[in-house]
Amino acid sequence: MHVMKLKKVHIAMLLVIIPVILVLVIKNYTAYGPLLATPTARQEGDSHAKVTIVEYSDFQCPMCARIQPFTKELLRTYQGKVRLYFKYYPLTMIHKNAMTAAHAAECAARQNKFWPYGEKLFERQKEWSPLLDATTHYMAIAKDVQLNESSFQACMADASVDLLIQSDSQEAQARGVNATPTLFVNDERLVGGVFESEGARTIERELRR
Amino acid sequence: MSTSVKGGGKRVEGNANLPSTLHASPSAYALLLVRLLIGGVLLYAGFAKALAPAAEFAAAMANYHLFPSSGLLPMAWIIPWIEIWTGLFLIAGLYTQAAAAVASGLFVSFLAVMASALWRHIDLASCGCFGAETFSPHTTFKIDIGLLLLSLLLTYCYRRTWPFTVDHKVD
């Protein structure tokens, strides 16, 4: 009887240890996918910065909007040391306007006004998010940041812009991104609110390397 | 001629060396299926989260606005492993009743957290349940209710030993 109980404990120990080893081995051999080039209009900060932050974001995601002031603050604090790259990752399954918002932001990027346009998109997120068609809001923001409206309208009708957004999304998926916002501080992956608590610490650590 | 054995199976007298699983009742097969289902779901959910960075699950939990931020990362480390081990113990049928009780506890916790998010109309980008897979909160809620009922059934039934379990072989 005692031997049987011991046998049971041994099996239990095996069941506890085997998955731990399995996960460690898989994690060790899993590499992130490649990082593709980001248009200059969607980059901010010193081009020779030691630390790069790649942000995969969705304009309709509340947490993405929440971290924007924090990201700007980090760029100010670590001026010359950090460069930010913005990548589109619209969660179209749950955010019906995420794709069109990304499309509008890319149209602003083509007029070199991505950052002010994106900032306003995030600021007014609650106004345009619930709408069936947010085009009038996109146009209003375009006017606010002084975009060339006819070029912006032509760009909004250009389906090829969506391909670029999709390529960002595919890159994100290849890098194991499945939630927004996901930020890579060099190779360190931080997701959502964790960026607020760990972002500065991670940058400091990367700067010390 | 046969006699009933624990677990509802039938043992043919004179053939005591035959594995008892050969004579298991339909109920034993049904319970095995339920164990495989719940264990499989927990194992999948646990591995999906354990293989991703803990920060990802921590971020999904942060969206619920229920937990202190200092507790998010430790919880994100621990919960996937509770799921994995509970799933494995259920599938193997080792300490089956205890594993089923833990599974019930997990599903009750998930349901409570999900209900709270639905009640407060929180926009969840990801429920955090299955790593990369995103289900709507309503779908997840329904799935969790089904799984909770089944794991409660297992907790009740495995008060005694049934075939197709390590418990049955070893006890």
Side-chain angles (χ1 to χ4, degrees):
Chain A
M1 197 65 174
H2 178 70
V3 176
M4 286 308 208
K5 273 193 177 169
L6 205 64
K7 197 173 170 187
K8 211 167 153 176
V9 171
H10 285 160
I11 298 171
M13 281 167 69
L14 272 179
L15 288 187
V16 168
I17 293 165
I18 288 171
V20 176
I21 295 170
L22 199 67
V23 166
L24 287 177
V25 169
I26 294 173
K27 274 192 158 182
N28 198 35
Y29 285 98
T30 306
Y32 293 135
L35 176 66
L36 306 175
T38 312
T40 323
R42 285 193 269 132
Q43 299 179 20
E44 202 174 11
D46 195 295
S47 57
H48 300 293
K50 191 176 177 187
V51 177
T52 58
I53 301 177
V54 181
E55 177 181 2
Y56 294 92
S57 190
D58 171 350
F59 285 105
Q60 204 179 338
C61 136
M63 183 56 87
C64 300
R66 201 179 100 176
I67 68 157
Q68 291 313 304
F70 179 75
T71 313
K72 294 268 176 293
E73 181 62 36
L74 278 183
L75 283 175
R76 270 194 298 273
T77 310
Y78 296 99
Q79 203 171 10
K81 296 172 184 169
V82 171
R83 188 164 179 83
L84 174 68
Y85 298 80
F86 188 98
K87 301 269 187 171
Y88 303 112
Y89 191 49
L91 299 173
T92 50
M93 275 179 73
I94 50 173
H95 294 147
K96 58 182 185 293
N97 288 330
M99 191 66 183
T100 52
H103 189 126
E106 182 53 28
C107 289
R110 292 186 176 186
Q111 294 187 42
N112 220 15
K113 292 267 178 71
F114 172 80
W115 294 107
Y117 193 92
E119 197 176 321
K120 293 231 180 284
L121 268 178
F122 278 126
E123 275 172 16
R124 300 181 193 173
Q125 189 188 66
K126 283 184 182 154
E127 295 165 29
W128 56 263
S129 277
L131 302 176
L132 277 177
D133 181 0
T135 312
T136 49
H137 278 260
Y138 303 149
M139 288 305 298
I141 296 174
K143 205 170 179 177
D144 284 356
V145 300
Q146 293 168 340
L147 291 180
N148 179 315
E149 288 177 51
S150 58
S151 303
F152 183 77
Q153 265 174 330
C155 175
M156 285 301 282
D158 182 359
S160 70
V161 174
D162 288 344
L163 294 176
L164 192 125
I165 295 162
Q166 280 159 9
S167 85
D168 269 10
S169 293
Q170 281 162 7
E171 173 194 306
Q173 280 160 4
R175 302 190 82 199
V177 175
N178 53 43
T180 56
T182 294
L183 298 100
F184 286 85
V185 180
N186 286 350
D187 279 332
E188 191 77 30
R189 183 157 80 172
L190 301 173
V191 184
V194 178
F195 182 65
E196 286 175 309
S197 57
E198 297 295 318
R201 223 193 315 260
T202 311
I203 291 171
E204 290 285 351
R205 199 167 50 235
E206 291 300 317
L207 285 173
R208 280 197 299 273
R209 279 190 186 185
Chain B
M1 189 178 167
S2 65
T3 54
S4 289
V5 292
K6 60 182 178 178
K10 303 267 186 204
R11 178 179 292 140
V12 180
E13 278 190 5
N15 285 318
N17 290 335
L18 278 174
S20 58
T21 50
L22 285 177
H23 315 292
S25 66
S27 314
Y29 282 103
L31 284 174
L32 170 69
L33 278 179
V34 175
R35 263 174 40 225
L36 290 179
L37 173 73
I38 296 178
V41 169
L42 286 173
L43 208 56
Y44 175 75
F47 269 117
K49 289 191 280 262
L51 288 171
E56 219 138 277
F57 183 40
M61 285 193 293
N63 289 337
Y64 289 92
H65 306 297
L66 268 180
F67 314 103
S69 55
S70 58
L72 290 174
L73 267 178
M75 281 169 71
W77 279 108
I78 295 163
I79 293 172
W81 287 106
I82 297 177
E83 289 178 319
I84 290 172
W85 289 325
T86 308
L88 276 176
F89 277 59
L90 270 179
I91 289 170
L94 185 65
Y95 301 110
T96 318
Q97 196 197 12
V102 173
S104 307
L106 281 172
F107 292 125
V108 167
S109 319
F110 297 157
L111 278 168
V113 169
M114 194 64 69
S116 142
L118 288 172
W119 179 260
R120 290 175 292 148
H121 303 288
I122 291 177
D123 175 23
L124 293 170
S126 161
C127 70
C129 321
F130 297 100
E133 299 298 328
T134 46
F135 290 102
S136 77
H138 285 97
T139 309
T140 314
F141 195 79
K142 286 175 201 159
I143 293 173
D144 280 352
I145 285 181
L147 293 171
L148 171 64
L149 292 176
L150 289 174
S151 49
L152 285 174
L153 174 79
L154 287 184
T155 311
Y156 178 77
C157 292
Y158 280 93
R159 286 171 303 152
R160 55 185 178 140
T161 315
W162 287 78
F164 307 122
T165 59
V166 174
D167 290 334
H168 184 69
K169 295 268 179 204
V170 174
D171 281 345

